[in-house]
Amino acid sequence: MRSSPVLPPLHALRAFEAVGRLLSFRRAGEELLITQSAVSHHIRTLEEALGAELFERRGRSIALTAAGARYLDSISRAFALVADGTRDVRSQASRQTLRVSLLPSFAANWLVSHLAHFRAAYPQIELVLDPTLNQANLAAGEADIAIRYGVGEWPGLRCELLATERLMPVLSPELAARQPLANPADILGHTLLISHRPTEWEAWSRHAALDLAAASRLQLTDYNIVLQAALGGQGVAMGRSLLVADYLRRGALVAPLPGFATAPGLGYWVVLPNRAEMSLAAMAFTDWLRQEIAGH
């Protein structure tokens, strides 16, 4: 590789920057791990290439000439620019992108409020979230992993349970005041708000030993809509403990009946292609989810 006809040798520039900053050939050599004579040689080479003296020798000390001071300012800024560019490239090279498909209800009612914790713990991982009711085609690369709610029955996919869900009926304080929910049988006087499949209500029905066949029902598509309907006093929702915790703390919803129901395997799952190895980013995100949910 031919040297540039304009640019001096990099070794000479590094030596000049160190000497100019430290105003010492000896200390510059110690910093650069070369001999003092090698530093002097680099400076002579640079002065010859520039056709200008960069330092004034004053006995046992040195000082920058006017040309040397101007050149040091330029070289220092150039090295700083190179350092910034290097850090940027290294930072981008070490960053990992994780595309996550997940239900809008889980994203809006739990994950978003916890994301700052994840970003602080894993600044090198960039999450790309895709809230959707549709099941992403993981094999086709639509997402790296998915977070789904159910009993882990997604054929052809590998499913790992994150956390089981605890279920309890919830309603607005206003509706509870108009139509008290003092015991399980009082549910029959309310409208049941149902999302997608009635699995949760069936689990609670078994827990409460109560037949819900005669209850009025309002079938809704998304659990976010179920929560909005409950907040609006339109009926009783089956509260998923993870997603309604904040509403209960704020008093926007109440859970008058004691205890909770569970169903085998009903909860939140990490889903990925059957034969795919989980990436380091996916493993970090999954482990963080488990710990964060456990501390909930």
Side-chain angles (χ1 to χ4, degrees), residues 114-125 288:
H114 293 257
L115 273 182
H117 300 167
F118 179 78
R119 293 174 64 190
Y122 299 96
Q124 77 280 14
I125 299 177
W288 173 82

Side-chain angles (χ1 to χ4, degrees), residues 189-205:
H190 287 271
T191 297
L192 309 186
L193 304 173
I194 298 176
S195 168
H196 195 46
R197 294 188 298 268
T199 308
E200 297 167 323
W201 279 106
E202 291 169 356
W204 184 83
S205 173

Side-chain angles (χ1 to χ4, degrees), residues 213-271:
S216 172
R217 299 164 185 251
L218 177 58
Q219 181 75 48
L220 302 167
T221 304
D222 178 22
Y223 192 71
N224 273 334
I225 302 175
V226 167
L227 288 180
Q228 290 304 310
L231 290 166
Q234 297 183 47
V236 179
M238 184 51 60
R240 302 173 186 172
S241 62
L242 200 64
L243 306 193
V244 301
D246 186 55
Y247 295 105
L248 295 175
R249 277 193 296 268
R250 292 189 284 111
L253 293 173
V254 295
L257 299 176
F260 56 85
T262 60
L266 180 62
Y268 304 93
W269 296 75
V270 173
V271 183

Side-chain angles (χ1 to χ4, degrees), residues 16-289:
F16 167 68
E17 188 278 333
V19 174
R21 174 165 40 84
L22 300 170
L23 292 178
S24 169
F25 283 77
R26 178 183 59 80
R27 291 171 60 195
E30 291 172 351
E31 180 178 293
L32 298 173
L33 301 178
I34 58 177
T35 64
Q36 184 173 333
S37 61
V39 173
S40 298
H41 174 72
H42 284 315
I43 297 301
R44 283 196 304 272
T45 300
L46 184 58
E47 289 178 326
E48 290 172 2
L50 295 173
E53 289 191 357
L54 300 173
F55 295 97
E56 295 178 1
R57 279 70 174 177
R58 299 175 177 175
R60 301 182 64 178
S61 65
I62 60 172
L64 286 160
T65 63
R70 292 196 305 273
Y71 198 49
L72 178 63
D73 179 64
S74 297
I75 295 303
S76 297
R77 285 187 282 112
F79 278 174
L81 188 62
V82 171
D84 287 343
T86 302
R87 280 191 294 269
D88 178 66
V89 170
R90 284 176 174 167
S91 171
Q92 293 303 316
S94 64
R95 288 190 67 80
Q96 303 170 62
T97 299
L98 183 66
R99 297 166 300 162
V100 183
S101 172
L102 71 171
L103 290 173
S105 56
F106 182 78
N109 298 291
W110 189 83
L111 183 58
V112 167
S113 63
H114 293 257
L115 273 182
H117 300 167
F118 179 78
R119 293 174 64 190
Y122 299 96
Q124 77 280 14
I125 299 177
E126 179 181 355
L127 288 181
V128 178
L129 303 181
D130 178 23
T132 176
L133 295 178
N134 299 321
Q135 292 187 22
N137 188 338
L138 300 179
E142 291 182 358
D144 298 312
I145 63 172
I147 308 299
R148 290 290 151 191
Y149 179 73
V151 293
E153 295 178 351
W154 291 281
L157 296 171
R158 176 174 147 204
C159 307
E160 296 186 9
L161 183 64
L162 278 175
T164 56
E165 187 55 284
R166 297 180 298 174
L167 308 170
M168 76 287 290
V170 296
L171 67 166
S172 70
E174 296 77 14
L175 180 57
R178 292 197 309 270
Q179 291 179 253
L181 195 56
N183 58 73
D186 291 336
I187 284 280
L188 299 176
H190 287 271
T191 297
L192 309 186
L193 304 173
I194 298 176
S195 168
H196 195 46
R197 294 188 298 268
T199 308
E200 297 167 323
W201 279 106
E202 291 169 356
W204 184 83
S205 173
R206 292 191 295 272
H207 165 77
L210 180 67
D211 185 356
L212 298 177
S216 172
R217 299 164 185 251
L218 177 58
Q219 181 75 48
L220 302 167
T221 304
D222 178 22
Y223 192 71
N224 273 334
I225 302 175
V226 167
L227 288 180
Q228 290 304 310
L231 290 166
Q234 297 183 47
V236 179
M238 184 51 60
R240 302 173 186 172
S241 62
L242 200 64
L243 306 193
V244 301
D246 186 55
Y247 295 105
L248 295 175
R249 277 193 296 268
R250 292 189 284 111
L253 293 173
V254 295
L257 299 176
F260 56 85
T262 60
L266 180 62
Y268 304 93
W269 296 75
V270 173
V271 183
L272 62 158
N274 195 29
R275 293 182 175 82
E277 290 293 328
M278 192 178 288
S279 68
L280 293 177
M283 289 173 62
F285 183 57
T286 301
D287 290 343
W288 173 82
L289 278 173

